[in-house]
Amino acid sequence: MAQAKSFEGLTTKKYPPWRRLQTVLPPLLVSVILVGLWQFQIIHALLNIKTFQLPLPSQIIEAAGRRSRDLWIGMNYTLLEAVLGLAIGSLCGFGMALLFVWFDFARRGFMPIAVTTNAIPIIAFVPIMSRWFGFDQPTRIAVVTMMTFAPMVVSAYKGLTSLDDNSADLMHTYAANRVQVLLKLRLPSSLPYIFNALKVGTTASMIGAVVAEFFNSAGGIGKLISNNIQSGDFALAWCGVIIVTLMGLTLYLLVGLAERLLVPWQRAFRN
Amino acid sequence: MNTLKATQSNIQPENLPLVAPSQAGGWQRGWQKIWPPLMIIGLLLIVWQVVASWLVNGLEEGTFQYRQQQSLLPAPVKVFAALFNNLDVFLEAGRATLVNAFIGFVLGTLVGFGLALLMSQSRWVERSFYVYIVASQMIPVIALAPILYGIIKEETPLKITVSAYLTFFPVTVNVLKGLRSVDPTSLELMHTYAARPWQIYTKVRIPTALPFLFNSLKIASTGSLIGAIVSELMGGNEGLGVLILKLQYNAYGVSDKLWALIIEVALVGMLFFLVVSLLERLVVPWQPEYRKK
Amino acid sequence: MITGRKYRAVALAILTMLVAVLLAACGDSTTAPAATTGAVKATTAAAASGSTTKLKLQLKWLHQAQFAGYYVAADKGYYKDMGLDVEILPGGPDVVPSQKVLTGAADIGVDWVGSLLANRDKGQPLVDVAQFYQSSGMLLIAKKSSGIKSVADLKGRKVGVWTGGNEFEFRAVLDKYKLDNSIDNNKDMTVIKQGFEMDSFLNGQLDAASAMTYNEYQVVLEAGIKPEDLNVINYNTEGVAMLEDHLFVTEDNAKAKKEALSKFLAASQKGWQDALKDQAFAVDAVMKRADKATTSREHQVRMMAEVAKLVQPDGVSTEKIGVIDEAKFKTTADIALRFNVITKPAQGAYTNDLMNAALAMVKK
C-alpha cells in the first residue's frame, strides 16, 4: 500500500514544495537575466539600436506611473473586446460544429467554407468592419469573433467525432439516443480539442483586438500604442505592449488551468 | 447518415450496421465533396447582389446617397469587374507578400520544430522557456514592427522575420504535444528492442508528432501571411498590406477595389492553406480522415 | 512506423521545398535577405569616393502630387546629373519620417515643421534644411448638419486627426481654446486616427475631419457635398497655422553629407520649379508612381493646382522656392511654444546653409 500512496501523491495536485519550485524557478531566472540584459543595454549593443527605439525597463515603469489612468481605461476597453469576441466566436463555432455532427448535409456544405475561413487573414476585413460598425468596440468584437470562430468549428468537429470505437460500441449497446451520446461521449472526448482551439483563440483574440485598433479606433490599448509609437513616446508604447502581453498570457493560463481541471485525463498530461 | 470518425474503424453508435465503403469512382467522390460548398458560395453571392441592388434601388448614380450605399456594400458584379481590371496590380502585390510569407513560414517551421525537439528532451529547458514562447505570441507584432524597422531597415528581411515569428509558436506547441502523445505501448515496444533515445525519436516520436505538426502548419500558414501583411501595414512599400491602405484612398463610394483586394487576400490565404493541406496528404496519409469511407 | 524509404521521400520533399523557396527568393526582384543594418552605411560610404551617391527620400504620404517636385527631378534626370541615385519611399498612416531618418532607414525626410519642433523638443537631433511649402493647407471640416461651427463646438465629438506628425496645428488650436491638447486620452473629445479615406466623415462616423486644401477637401467636394454645406476651421484664420512640408536630415548628416545633400536640394528645387511651370508633366510623373488603382488623373490635376499655390504663394519668387523664410519660421516656432506644443524655445531648428550652397551650385 505504501507504493500506492506515493503514486497517489504524484498524481494528485499536491506536489511537494521543491517540485513546485522546479516549475517556477527556471522561467523566473530567465526573466531576471532578460531584464538585466535589457536594463544594462547589452541588448542595445548587440542589435545596434538606441534607447529611444527600445526604452529601458526603468523608463517604461516611469511611463506606466505617469499615465496609469489611461493605461487602465485602455486595458479594460481592449479586454472587453477580446473576451467578448472570443466567447461569441467560440460558442458560435461550437454550435456550428454540433450542427455538423447531427446534420451531415450542413457539414458537407459549410465545413469546407469554415475550414478555409480559418485561412483568411482577418486583418483584411478591418477596413470594412470599421465602415459598418464604426470606431467603437463592436468593430473589434466582430473582428475577434470572426478570428476565433473558424478554429473552434474545425477543432470542435474533430473532437466531437474522434471517438474511441469501443466507447461508441458501448453507447450503442445501451441504446443511447443522440443527446445522451452527446453528453456522455462526444462532449468529454471533444474537450481536449475544444481547449486547443480556445488556447489558439486567446492569442488570436488579444492580437486581433489590438491590431484592429491600430487602424482607427476611438479607444483601447492598441490606439494608445499606435499613437505613442507615432509621437515617439516609445516608453509608453512599450507599457501598452507589456500590458497586452500580460493580458494575453493571463487569459492563456486561465484557459490552461481550466483545461487541467476539466480534462485531467489527457495523455499529454501523463507523460 | 452520421459518421463518427473513430481511431480504428467506423462505428456509429446511433445506427449500426456499418456503412460500406463507397463504391463510387474518384471523380464522382470529388464532385460530391465540392458541390455543397460551391452551392452555398453561389447562394451567398446571389444574396449579396440582391441586397446591394436593393440598397441602391431608386438612387441615381453619382449622387451622394448612391455613393454612400456603394461605400458600405458595393455590388459583387462591380467588385469582380474591379478585380479583373486591376489584376496586374493585385497579383504583383500578392506575389510580393506571399513569397516573403512563405520563406518566413519555412524558417519558422524549422525553428519551431527544433525548439520542440529541444524542449521534449529537457524538462528544464521546457520549463524555462515555455512561458516565454507563449508570451512571445501575445506581443502584438504590429507594435514591434516599427521597432524592427529601425533595426532591420530593409523591408523584405523584416517581413520574413515577422512571418517566421508568427509561425514558430503553433509549430512548437503542437509538435511538443505530439512528441509527448506517444502511445505507451509503442514506447514499451521500443524498450523491449533496447532502442536508443534517438531511435525512439525517429521511429516513434517524430512520426507521432507529424500529424500534430501538419495541424499546426495549417494554422501557421495563416499566421505567416498575417505577419507579412502586418509588417507591410506599418511602413512597407509593396504587397497586400500596403495595397489595403492605399485602396482606402479612393474617391468616396469607390470601394469596389478595396473589396476586390479583400477577396484576393482571402483567396491567397486559402491557396496557401490548400497547399499545406496537400502536403499533409502526401506526408501523413495514414490519418483516419484520409481513409476511404 | 515510417520506413527508411518513406523517410527519404519526406526528406526529398522538404529539400525540394527549400530549393523552391531559395529560387523564389533569388528570383525576387527585391533584395535577398542578406541586407543588414550595415548595408545602408556601406553604400553611402562607398559612394563618397566619387561614384553615384545613394540617397533615400522618405515621403510623408502616398505617392501623389503633393511631392511632385521630387518626381519631376527624378524623371528629368536632375538627380542623375548631380551624381545622385535617389530612392523615393512612399509614406503611410503608420510611417513616421522622423523615425526613419533617425534610425538611418532613410537619409532625408519630408515632414511638417510642427512635428520637427516637437521632436527637437524631445531631444531628437533633426534639422530643417529646405522649406518647399511656404504656406499651410490644413483644415478641419465638419458638415453643417453637425452643428460644429468653431473649435469650442468640438467638445465631446468625434474628430479625425492624422497622427504621426500632422497633429500639431490641431493641438495648438485646442490649447488656444483651453481644451485638453493631448490626442491620446479622449478627455474633451474623442480623437480618432484618420487614414486615407473620407468615407467615415461622409458616412457620419466622424463629426469633424482633417482635410488638406489640395486633397481631402477636394475628395469631399467630388463626393457631391457643396462648399456651402461645410463648416471649415482654417488654422490660418485661427492664427495657429504652422509651416508644413519641409525636408529634414539629422544634424550629423547636415554636416557630414553636406555636399551630396546640397546637390539633392539643387536638383529638387529645379524639379519643383519645373513642376509648377508644367503641371501636366508633373501629373504624368505622379501617375507613373501612383497606383492607377488608387487615384485618378483628374484628382491629381486638381491637387497639383492647389499644391502650386502653397509652394509658391504670393510674394515668393521662383528662385526662393525651398528657401526657409526666417520670419515665417519664427512665427511657427512662437506658435508652437505659446500653445504648448513645445516646452522650450526652439534653437537651431533650421539652417539655410545647404539651400544656399545649392543655389550657388545652380548659379554656376
Side-chain angles (χ1 to χ4, degrees), chain B residues 102 106-107 110, chain C residues 11-24:
Chain B
F102 185 69
V106 171
L107 282 173
L110 291 171
Chain C
L12 202 67
I14 295 178
L15 215 73
T16 28
M17 256 206 334
L18 280 171
V19 170
V21 161
L22 283 168
L23 283 175

Side-chain angles (χ1 to χ4, degrees), chain B residues 266-281:
Chain B
L267 288 174
V268 168
M270 288 192 240
L271 182 74
F272 201 172
F273 181 82
L274 279 170
V275 167
V276 175
S277 302
L278 225 76
L279 218 70
E280 179 181 16
R281 267 280 195 156

Side-chain angles (χ1 to χ4, degrees), chain C residues 190-305:
Chain C
T190 310
V191 175
I192 295 164
K193 175 168 94 174
Q194 213 174 306
F196 289 137
E197 42 93 31
M198 292 309 271
D199 288 61
S200 346
F201 169 72
L202 291 162
N203 286 343
Q205 284 159 341
L206 281 176
D207 300 314
S210 300
M212 300 305 296
T213 56
Y214 49 81
N215 193 5
E216 287 75 15
Y217 187 70
Q218 304 297 327
V219 171
V220 169
L221 294 181
E222 284 159 19
I225 306 258
K226 301 190 202 56
E228 309 89 72
D229 297 326
L230 288 171
N231 285 338
V232 175
I233 295 173
N234 194 321
Y235 293 116
N236 282 296
T237 24
E238 291 288 344
V240 295
M242 301 194 227
L243 286 172
E244 290 167 356
D245 289 42
H246 67 273
L247 290 175
F248 69 92
V249 297
T250 55
E251 279 172 359
D252 289 339
N253 275 344
K255 299 192 189 75
K257 292 194 191 166
K258 185 165 171 189
E259 170 149 0
L261 290 173
S262 306
K263 289 186 183 162
F264 177 82
L265 292 180
S268 303
Q269 192 202 40
K270 238 171 132 198
W272 272 110
Q273 289 165 339
D274 285 4
L276 296 179
K277 251 195 313 190
D278 185 358
Q279 294 190 12
F281 181 85
V283 174
D284 286 335
V286 171
M287 291 312 286
K288 256 196 267 175
R289 292 162 175 81
D291 271 307
K292 68 172 169 78
T294 64
T295 188
S296 70
R297 204 198 151 79
E298 300 79 49
H299 183 76
Q300 294 301 322
V301 166
R302 266 190 285 269
M303 188 185 298
M304 190 65 226

Side-chain angles (χ1 to χ4, degrees), chain A:
Chain A
M1 281 300 112
Q3 259 192 336
K5 261 208 187 133
S6 62
F7 183 72
E8 261 180 35
L10 280 178
T11 51
T12 60
K13 306 295 185 293
K14 295 188 177 127
Y15 292 122
W18 66 268
R19 203 56 181 299
R20 271 243 178 86
L21 216 67
Q22 254 195 336
T23 334
V24 172
L25 210 60
L28 221 66
L29 228 79
V30 172
S31 52
V32 167
I33 297 174
L34 215 73
V35 171
L37 288 173
W38 188 351
Q39 178 70 35
F40 294 109
Q41 304 194 34
I42 302 177
I43 297 183
H44 294 85
L46 282 171
L47 294 173
N48 190 25
I49 52 179
K50 310 182 187 82
T51 48
F52 90 86
Q53 290 168 272
L54 184 66
L56 305 174
S58 47
Q59 294 171 321
I60 297 176
I61 295 174
E62 181 263 339
R66 195 173 16 110
R67 298 285 294 272
S68 52
R69 176 183 164 270
D70 295 326
L71 286 168
W72 176 252
I73 294 175
M75 190 177 107
N76 288 318
Y77 186 99
T78 308
L79 193 65
L80 184 72
E81 295 168 342
V83 172
L84 216 64
L86 180 63
I88 297 176
S90 301
L91 276 167
C92 291
F94 184 77
M96 190 153 229
L98 211 59
L99 227 76
F100 289 175
V101 171
W102 286 338
F103 301 107
D104 200 51
F105 183 76
R107 179 190 66 85
R108 285 198 293 154
F110 282 102
M111 179 63 113
I113 299 180
V115 167
T116 35
T117 310
N118 215 356
I120 301 176
I122 301 294
I123 307 298
F125 287 94
V126 178
I128 299 184
M129 296 281 155
S130 292
R131 295 242 181 111
W132 287 349
F133 301 112
F135 297 126
D136 291 309
Q137 288 162 308
T139 305
R140 264 80 63 191
I141 295 176
V143 171
V144 173
T145 305
M146 282 184 81
M147 284 178 93
T148 52
F149 168 78
M152 179 54 85
V153 170
V154 173
S155 287
Y157 181 75
K158 199 163 188 174
L160 289 168
T161 52
S162 293
L163 302 181
D164 178 27
D165 55 331
N166 290 325
S167 314
D169 230 346
L170 188 66
M171 283 284 135
H172 181 75
T173 63
Y174 282 144
N177 64 24
R178 256 186 201 177
V179 180
Q180 286 170 319
V181 174
L182 169 68
L183 293 176
K184 295 227 183 292
L185 186 57
R186 290 193 201 268
L187 263 181
S189 318
S190 67
L191 281 178
Y193 293 83
I194 291 180
F195 274 100
N196 250 7
L198 274 180
K199 280 200 241 181
V200 170
T202 56
T203 332
S205 63
M206 200 44 87
I207 302 292
V210 171
V211 172
E213 283 177 11
F214 258 71
F215 272 79
N216 26 40
S217 159
I221 287 272
K223 178 194 179 191
L224 195 102
I225 299 174
S226 164
N227 278 355
N228 285 289
I229 287 179
Q230 298 201 321
S231 58
D233 191 349
F234 280 94
L236 188 58
W238 270 91
C239 265
V241 170
I242 291 176
I243 287 179
V244 171
T245 311
L246 289 175
M247 280 202 286
L249 251 176
T250 313
L251 269 178
Y252 186 88
L253 288 174
L254 283 173
V255 172
L257 202 74
E259 184 180 17
R260 281 247 171 202
L261 292 172
L262 293 174
V263 200
W265 64 80
Q266 271 192 93
R267 197 171 277 158
F269 290 157
R270 277 183 250 149
N271 275 352

Side-chain angles (χ1 to χ4, degrees), chain A residues 216, chain B residues 242-251, chain C residues 60-64 91-94 162 193-199 215-216 219:
Chain A
N216 26 40
Chain B
V242 178
L243 214 53
I244 290 177
L245 287 177
K246 283 188 189 176
L247 285 181
Q248 296 180 60
Y249 186 55
N250 273 293
Chain C
K60 197 172 165 54
W61 213 233
L62 285 186
H63 286 308
Q64 54 189 14
D94 282 288
W162 294 305
K193 175 168 94 174
Q194 213 174 306
F196 289 137
E197 42 93 31
M198 292 309 271
D199 288 61
N215 193 5
E216 287 75 15
V219 171

